[in-house]
Amino acid sequence: MITPNDIMDRIAELVAEKFPWEDIHRELCPQGFTRPCTLIVQDECDCNVGFGPGIVELAPVFTLTTFVETDEYHHSHLAGMHQRQMALASLFLPGYLKVGDRAPKVTGLKLAGGYDYDTVTVTFSYTLLRSEFEEAVTAPLMEHFQFNSRGE
C-alpha cells in the first residue's frame, strides 16, 4: 500500500537526483531560502469511493515550484527557469512513478509560472482496496511518544 506521502517522498528523491546540489523544500519555503531550489506541495487528493466494489481510487495532485537565482533587482533568468521546469516535467514523462511495489499512473501534467518561479503540476491515479484505505487512515503517524512505564 502507498499513500500520497509516499509519492511525495519519491518525487523528492527524483528531484534530488536531478539537482543534487540544491535544497528541496516540502509544503513551504523558509524565509530567506537559498536559490536555486525546488518546493514540493501536495495540493489536493480526490477520492473516488464508487470506482468499483471494494476499491477506492485516489488522485493526488502535487505542484513542484522551481526557483532560480535572481539578480540585484530580484529578476529571475527566465530561460534558465524554463529549462529547470522542463527538467522537472521530464521526471513524469514515462507516464507513471515507481513507488515501492506500485506505479501510480500520471494522468495530468501542467506547466505554468511567472517572473519569479515556474511550476509543474502533476496528477496521479491509483487504486487501493477499501481495507488498505482504512488501514492508511487509521495508522498512527510517526511521532515522538513518551511512555511512563512506572504508572505515574
Side-chain angles (χ1 to χ4, degrees):
M1 176 195 69
I2 61 169
T3 66
N5 288 336
D6 298 325
I7 295 173
M8 182 182 280
D9 291 343
R10 183 65 182 131
I11 292 170
E13 289 173 5
L14 292 175
V15 172
E17 290 173 12
K18 185 70 76 172
F19 301 110
W21 56 90
E22 298 176 9
D23 291 335
I24 299 170
H25 304 286
R26 294 174 185 226
E27 305 303 336
L28 58 91
C29 283
Q31 185 175 3
F33 66 92
T34 59
R35 295 167 179 251
C37 68
T38 302
L39 168 67
I40 306 170
V41 176
Q42 181 183 344
D43 295 321
E44 61 183 88
C45 185
D46 290 335
C47 183
N48 181 356
V49 296
F51 186 76
I55 297 174
V56 176
E57 178 189 34
L58 296 179
V61 179
F62 297 89
T63 297
L64 290 75
T65 305
T66 183
F67 299 95
V68 296
E69 293 178 349
T70 57
D71 63 17
E72 61 273 7
Y73 302 105
H74 200 75
H75 295 144
S76 299
H77 183 253
L78 296 181
M81 194 165 52
H82 299 328
Q83 185 176 19
R84 288 176 55 86
Q85 180 187 46
M86 295 302 288
L88 290 173
S90 73
L91 299 175
F92 309 107
L93 293 182
Y96 65 92
L97 183 70
K98 185 80 171 128
V99 182
D101 63 347
R102 304 289 298 270
K105 180 180 177 183
V106 174
T107 58
L109 193 59
K110 178 182 176 184
L111 283 63
Y115 288 106
D116 190 40
Y117 62 88
D118 271 349
T119 62
V120 174
T121 302
V122 58
T123 304
F124 296 96
S125 176
Y126 67 101
T127 58
L128 295 173
L129 296 174
R130 284 185 192 270
S131 59
E132 290 178 307
F133 181 79
E134 291 166 359
E135 175 187 321
V137 170
T138 59
L141 297 175
M142 293 300 292
E143 297 178 7
H144 175 75
F145 293 99
Q146 183 174 1
F147 294 97
N148 183 350
S149 61
R150 289 183 263 167
E152 296 174 0

